[in-house]
Amino acid sequence: MRLSLFSRLVLGYLVVFVLVIAVSVYVIIELREFDAITRSILEYDNRALDYEKKLADALLSQVRYERKFTITKDETLYKQFLRFKEDFERYYQQALAVADPQAKQHLAEIKRRYERYLDIFGKEAVHLRTGQSYPQAWYKAEKDKISDEVLGLLEKWKARREEETYRKIRRLADSGTLAQREALRISGVVLGFILLLSFLITRSITRPISVLKNKTHEIAQGRFSADLQISSPPEIGQLAAAFNSMCERLNKLDRMKTDFYASMSHELRTPLTSIKEGTGLLLDGVGGETTEKQRKLLSILAEESNRLIALVNSLLDLSKMEAGMMPYSFEKTSLAPLIKKAVGEITPLVEAKGIKLDTEIAEELPPVKVDPERILQVLRNLIGNAVKFTPKAGQVKVAARSVNGTVEVAVRDTGPGIPPESLPTIFDKFRQGSSNGGASENGTGLGLAIAKHIVTFHGGKIWAENHAEQGSSFIFVLPR
């Protein structure tokens, strides 16, 4: 099952949400443990230490007033003793309320010894009030012994509570360190997973879009192969299917157009040839004497017939090239003779326009594998265009040299140049790079398109450049 873009995004966000919730739950659990330990320290250990201090102070106060009472027999001192006794018992109950089972056993032992202390002092108080003789040294020794034992037990309780508090603080610190380490590890894993998930979702969207973009560029360049194979996401898969359908339709239309050009060109060439031959016969006087005005009209008719025949031939050549039916006959040869031949053919037009035509052919120009007739066709088109658009007293230069394992041929003129907006389309069919201010020249707009087809079929490249000072250059390179 292939998920749609919406489903992928929703699922991705849901996974991220669940991961964030999981991390949050872990943090909450750890925080609750910290809170429990902190509360235990605050609500039990600190209070227990406070009660230990209060119990010890209450006991010491009782011992102090008890000793004063045994000496003075002052009942006021005895009442003070009883007041601190009440304080001790109140603090004991409060301590017992917050004590754990082990501490309760400890407090029970303190209580038992404390009651023994009270019992001995109670008996001594009776002897003191009745004036009876009793062993004072023994009573004093017993009371001191028991009070010291109670204070010792309280001190042990305090030490135990401090140790427990320290242990909890250590546990809190260790838990904090562990929680921090685990949180960082989990956060790293979650972040990595989120980044990986985001990358996969983004790639599943951008990669097919990139393929569609490249296909759009191919279509813009006139390549209509219906070879898009994208099945996921479904929306883009449907778009790819629409692209393939469009390419099939465009390919069909392009073939129809090419077939139309070829058919029309073939049908037009026969009557045009008849018109040309008939015009030639009339000019030769076969039909009788002609006046000067008639001869002038017949010359114009012959010239236009030749131009139409050239256009038809160009259309036929281009149709064959686009259909892949143009025959090529490759051989290893030097371009120098072909350049000289093309220059020689156009010399009469150059002289008529008063243009200077120079050639600069590198010595020992390496041979290349080409179809001489087709490359000669390229040279005729490029040199002819340069001469056509160069004004009188201008200059055209044809140069050939070896560059990085290729042979480069450049045709430069001093004409008006090519408008910058026309440079990208100058080699398209029926396009002419007319320049502002340049003379209007008749042309078919097919010469450069044919030249590009020929050079590309030879495995080379062709392009045009403008010069900052004046004119333009047409350059093509062929592999050796």
Side-chain angles (χ1 to χ4, degrees), residues 26 30 176-188:
Y26 173 77
E30 291 297 324
T177 302
L178 179 62
Q180 183 180 15
R181 185 165 59 248
E182 289 297 317
L184 288 175
R185 185 176 65 84
I186 293 173
S187 298

Side-chain angles (χ1 to χ4, degrees), residues 254-266 311-328 377 429-430 446 449-450 453:
D254 193 59
R255 287 196 302 270
M256 290 174 61
K257 177 198 66 177
T258 302
D259 292 344
F260 172 77
Y261 286 153
S263 176
M264 289 301 296
S265 300
H266 186 271
L311 173 59
V312 168
N313 289 334
S314 295
L315 281 171
L316 278 173
D317 286 345
L318 186 59
S319 298
K320 290 179 181 179
M321 290 176 184
E322 289 181 339
M325 299 175 63
M326 175 64 73
Y328 286 87
Q377 189 176 0
K429 292 179 289 188
F430 307 110
L446 296 176
I450 292 173
H453 270 284

Side-chain angles (χ1 to χ4, degrees), residues 23-41:
V23 174
S24 301
V25 168
Y26 173 77
V27 171
I28 290 173
I29 292 173
E30 291 297 324
L31 289 177
R32 289 185 65 181
E33 184 177 355
F34 295 160
D35 184 65
I37 297 174
T38 305
R39 284 179 178 274
S40 174
I41 294 173

Side-chain angles (χ1 to χ4, degrees), residues 355-371:
I355 295 173
K356 183 180 179 183
L357 177 59
D358 296 327
T359 58
E360 184 179 317
I361 302 174
E363 294 182 3
E364 299 181 359
L365 194 68
V368 289
K369 191 174 183 180
V370 297
D371 182 329

Side-chain angles (χ1 to χ4, degrees), residues 76-92:
T76 304
L77 296 173
Y78 185 76
K79 290 179 180 180
Q80 289 294 327
F81 172 83
L82 294 177
R83 185 173 67 83
F84 282 107
K85 173 180 173 292
E86 291 174 358
D87 289 345
F88 185 92
E89 290 178 347
R90 185 175 71 256
Y91 296 146
Y92 178 83

Side-chain angles (χ1 to χ4, degrees), residues 146-411:
I146 294 173
S147 62
D148 288 341
E149 289 176 352
V150 173
L151 289 173
L153 290 172
L154 287 172
E155 189 65 30
K156 287 181 180 179
W157 186 38
K158 175 184 177 182
R160 187 174 296 172
R161 293 274 58 82
E162 287 177 345
E163 182 181 352
E164 183 67 17
T165 301
Y166 176 76
R167 186 183 65 80
K168 289 180 179 179
I169 292 173
R170 286 291 305 170
R171 179 185 169 194
L172 194 63
D174 293 342
S175 298
T177 302
L178 179 62
Q180 183 180 15
R181 185 165 59 248
E182 289 297 317
L184 288 175
R185 185 176 65 84
I186 293 173
S187 298
V189 172
V190 170
L191 181 60
F193 185 79
I194 290 174
L195 290 176
L196 177 62
L197 183 64
S198 301
F199 172 77
L200 292 176
I201 293 176
T202 304
R203 183 175 174 81
S204 70
I205 296 173
T206 57
R207 188 174 183 181
I209 290 178
S210 177
V211 173
L212 288 174
K213 182 187 74 172
N214 294 335
K215 188 62 181 178
T216 303
H217 290 164
E218 290 183 10
I219 294 173
Q221 294 170 3
R223 299 196 298 272
F224 307 128
S225 57
D227 55 357
L228 271 180
Q229 299 294 330
I230 302 174
S231 58
S232 181
E235 296 94 329
I236 297 182
Q238 294 171 5
L239 184 59
F243 259 78
N244 287 333
S245 177
M246 178 180 67
C247 287
E248 290 175 358
R249 181 65 177 166
L250 289 173
N251 206 13
K252 183 178 179 180
L253 290 174
D254 193 59
R255 287 196 302 270
M256 290 174 61
K257 177 198 66 177
T258 302
D259 292 344
F260 172 77
Y261 286 153
S263 176
M264 289 301 296
S265 300
H266 186 271
E267 294 297 326
L268 285 172
R269 185 157 54 177
T270 301
L272 285 172
T273 303
S274 299
I275 293 173
K276 176 184 176 182
E277 293 299 325
T279 304
L281 291 173
L282 290 174
L283 284 172
D284 292 339
V286 174
E289 291 294 328
T290 56
T291 65
E292 184 63 27
K293 186 175 182 180
Q294 288 173 335
R295 292 184 64 83
K296 190 173 184 181
L297 290 174
L298 289 171
S299 297
I300 294 173
L301 186 59
E303 183 179 342
E304 291 302 313
S305 296
N306 288 331
R307 192 170 72 85
L308 284 174
I309 291 172
L311 173 59
V312 168
N313 289 334
S314 295
L315 281 171
L316 278 173
D317 286 345
L318 186 59
S319 298
K320 290 179 181 179
M321 290 176 184
E322 289 181 339
M325 299 175 63
M326 175 64 73
Y328 286 87
S329 179
F330 288 93
E331 62 182 65
K332 203 80 170 180
T333 184
S334 173
L335 295 184
L338 300 179
I339 295 172
K340 291 177 182 178
K341 183 176 182 180
V343 168
E345 290 175 354
I346 204 168
T347 298
L349 178 59
V350 170
E351 292 175 350
K353 291 189 68 173
I355 295 173
K356 183 180 179 183
L357 177 59
D358 296 327
T359 58
E360 184 179 317
I361 302 174
E363 294 182 3
E364 299 181 359
L365 194 68
V368 289
K369 191 174 183 180
V370 297
D371 182 329
E373 285 302 318
R374 298 302 168 203
I375 295 301
L376 186 59
Q377 189 176 0
V378 173
L379 292 168
R380 287 167 179 160
N381 281 330
L382 297 183
I383 298 173
N385 280 346
V387 171
K388 180 168 62 176
F389 288 102
T390 299
K392 290 184 178 181
Q395 183 178 4
V396 175
K397 182 177 180 181
V398 183
R401 58 175 182 161
S402 177
V403 180
N404 297 328
T406 64
V407 173
E408 178 186 280
V409 179
V411 179

